[in-house]
Amino acid sequence: MSPALRPRRSVLYMPGANARALEKARSLDCDGVIIDLEDAVAPDAKAGARALVAEALAAGGFGHREVVVRVNGADTPWFEDDLAAFAATAATGAGPDAVLIPKVADPETLRVTGRRLDGLGAPVGLKVWAMIETPLAVLKAGEIALAARDPLSRLAVLVLGTNDLSKETGARIVPGRAPMQAWLSLCVLAARAGGVDVLDGVWNGFRDLEGFARECVEAADLGFDGKTLIHPTQIEPCNAAFSPPEKEVDEARMLIEVFDRPENAAKGVLQIEGRMFERMHADIARKTVALAEAIAARN
Ligand code: COA
Ligand code: MG
C-alpha cells in the first residue's frame, strides 16, 4: 500500500458514455471506479463522453470511492483535450482523484503528462495512474514505477492491462495464468520498488464468479493491492479476497501488543506458541491492522 493507505481492493471500470453506469457508481461497494474514455468509448462518441463525465464529476456524490478517469493515450487526437478537461475540473475541486494513462511505454510518457498537468494548473492532489499493458512497459516496469520518486510524475498506481498483454504477446489467458505469471510478479516487484500500489487486470467472463474468485485469491497471493473489475457482481468476491481476514487482523493486533510490551523492548525475535516472530512480522502486522482500519473507516 502507498503511504496514504487508501484501500484499492476493487476498482470498477465503466464506459464514460454510459450514464446509467456513472449513476450506479455512486452506490456500489467498490473502493474505486475508473471511468473510461479510451477502449470502452467509440471514436465518434469521445467528445460527448468527455462532457458527460465532466458533468457527472461536477455533480459529485461518489463518497468514499476513489474516482479515476482513463483518458485516451498520449498518441491520440483526444489526449490533450482529455487532460485539459480533467485538470480544469480538478482545479475547481469537482474533478477526479487521478487520471489513468493508457499504454505507458516508459518514464518519459509520465514526465510529459506531468509537465502538461502542471502547465494546465492541475492541483498536486490530482494523481496519475499508469496502464502497464505492452511488452515494453512490462520490460520497463521498474523504471516506470521508480518515476514515482519524482513528484513531477504524480504516479500513484500501476494498473495491469492483461487483455492488451495477451493481444500483444500471443500469451493465452488461461485459468491460473501461468503464461503471464512472470510479468504479473515483475509488476508487483516494480511497484514495491517505486512505492506505488498495483492493481491486477480484469476477468472477462463476468458470469463465472467462481473462476473470478479464484483469480482474485491468486492475485492477492501475488501481492497485488486489488483488482480491476468490469461488472458490479465482481465487487463482493474481490473485496473479500483482498481484505485481511478477521483472524489475521486479531493475530496481528496480538503480535503488535506482544512486541510493544516493555519486557520485550530489547528483543528482536520472540516465540509465540511454537512459532518464530521477528520485528519484521510486527511491521507486517501493523500494515495489516492499518489496512483493516482503513477499510472499516471507509464503511
Ligand atoms: N459499472 C457500473 N454499472 C454496471 C457495469 C459497470 N461496469 N456493468 C454493468 N452495470 C450495471 C448495469 O447498468 C445494470 O444495471 P441496472 O440493471 O440497475 O440498470 C446491471 O449492472 C446489470 O448489468 P448486466 O445487464 O448484467 O450487464 P450489461 O449487459 O448491461 O453490461 C458489460 C455488460 C460488459 C457491457 C458492462 O458490464 C460493461 O460495460 N463493463 C465495463 C466495460 C469497460 O469499461 N471496459 C473497459 C476496460 S476493460
Ligand atoms: Mg488497454
Side-chain angles (χ1 to χ4, degrees), residues 38-39 70 103 131 133 164:
E38 196 217 14
D39 289 346
R70 183 161 78 174
K103 310 235 160 51
M131 291 295 308
E133 55 184 344
D164 271 289

Side-chain angles (χ1 to χ4, degrees), residues 10 31 95 107 120 128 138 151 215 223-224 231 234 261 268 283:
S10 51
D31 289 334
L120 289 162
V128 165
V138 173
E215 188 163 284
F224 282 100
H231 195 278
Q234 295 181 324
R261 285 181 199 161
D283 294 342

Side-chain angles (χ1 to χ4, degrees), residues 15-39:
N18 185 339
R20 173 77 187 143
L22 294 177
E23 182 51 40
K24 291 206 79 163
R26 297 182 169 95
S27 60
L28 295 170
D29 191 29
C30 48
D31 289 334
V33 294
I34 298 173
I35 305 173
D36 191 21
L37 295 177
E38 196 217 14
D39 289 346

Side-chain angles (χ1 to χ4, degrees), residues 247 250-251 254-255 258 261 270-277:
K247 187 163 169 278
D250 289 345
E251 283 175 3
M254 182 271 294
L255 188 63
V258 172
R261 285 181 199 161
L270 294 170
Q271 75 84 21
I272 303 170
E273 292 169 10
R275 278 171 67 201
M276 180 200 72
F277 291 97

